[in-house]
Amino acid sequence: MSTSRKSTRKPLLYAAGVALAALTLGIVSWQATAPADKHRETSSAASAEATPGSDPAAELKALARREAGDKLAVGRTDAPVVLIEYSDFKCGYCAKFARDTEPELVKKYVADGTLRIEWRNFPIFGAESEAAAKAAWAAGQQDRFTAFHAAAYAEGAKAKGFGEDRLVELAREAGVPDLDRFRADMAGEQAAAALRRDREEGYRIGVQSTPSFLVNGQPIAGAQPLDAFTTAIARAEAQAKAGR
């Protein structure tokens, strides 16, 4: 794994909101390993902290949307296990997960109906991250999110940046049929609203780094090895079958 790190400052308002939400809701504490003065992607572990009378796992599990029309999800809406992924297209560890681990999860668990994967745009690396998030949403409106996701996370893609022309190029590579509509959707209010919804959800539960995941409400932070996900999915499936 590379020792290089690319980082950006988190807005202070959001930082305060994260701390307050995590404390007030008692939902989860993500263990970030960012430098003292900057936020960065990380592959640390996460743990849940409960307040008296709360059920953190149940609250987190309920975040699974299971919306039939969700263009940024793969897998059956009634799958026993839902993996929610909070990611940024400029995050190197997110790309590692997308290339090395996610295809194996799709092959092994999504294909047989065990797993549903729901994407949440959680841009933390500035304007280009936000633009890429909106572009991914726009590609999804033409049923090309998965292909856009693969193109944006391909080896070397991040180095080319995510300016508008580059995003259109990625959409073309992903097979988005109507590029004029893609441009309009990318710049539209619906894309901005979808991004706000995802990001506010992440901040509300205390996500501090990318990639971060929930597997039926159980947190996993970082691009962990495949075994970490297969173990979490197996446990969640067993609990679902037991009615827990």
Side-chain angles (χ1 to χ4, degrees), residues 192-203:
L195 171 56
R196 283 196 300 273
R197 180 190 185 191
D198 287 355
R199 187 157 56 182
E200 288 171 3
E201 176 183 292
Y203 283 130

Side-chain angles (χ1 to χ4, degrees), residues 69-89:
D70 189 343
K71 302 289 191 178
L72 278 61
V74 295
R76 296 167 53 123
T77 57
D78 62 351
V81 183
V82 177
L83 183 153
I84 302 174
E85 176 183 355
Y86 299 87
S87 287
D88 183 323
F89 283 103

Side-chain angles (χ1 to χ4, degrees), residues 6-137:
K6 188 168 185 179
S7 60
T8 188
R9 291 183 182 275
K10 184 191 299 180
L12 294 179
L13 177 61
Y14 279 128
V18 170
L20 179 61
L23 177 63
T24 302
L25 299 178
I27 294 178
V28 67
S29 174
W30 302 94
Q31 302 301 312
T33 57
D37 63 335
K38 292 189 176 183
H39 185 100
R40 66 175 168 115
E41 69 236 51
T42 178
S43 58
S44 63
S47 63
E49 296 178 350
T51 54
S54 72
D55 185 348
E59 293 184 52
L60 292 176
K61 185 177 179 180
L63 292 175
R65 295 171 185 170
R66 296 183 180 273
E67 297 170 352
D70 189 343
K71 302 289 191 178
L72 278 61
V74 295
R76 296 167 53 123
T77 57
D78 62 351
V81 183
V82 177
L83 183 153
I84 302 174
E85 176 183 355
Y86 299 87
S87 287
D88 183 323
F89 283 103
K90 292 194 72 175
C91 162
Y93 286 126
C94 300
K96 177 178 174 59
F97 174 80
R99 292 195 300 265
D100 298 347
T101 305
E102 193 165 22
E104 295 301 316
L105 299 181
V106 171
K107 185 189 307 180
K108 185 172 183 178
Y109 298 109
V110 174
D112 73 359
T114 299
L115 180 69
R116 175 176 174 84
I117 300 176
E118 296 185 354
W119 172 273
R120 303 288 192 264
N121 275 306
F122 197 73
I124 59 174
F125 293 112
E128 283 200 353
S129 288
E130 294 189 5
K134 293 175 183 178
W137 183 89

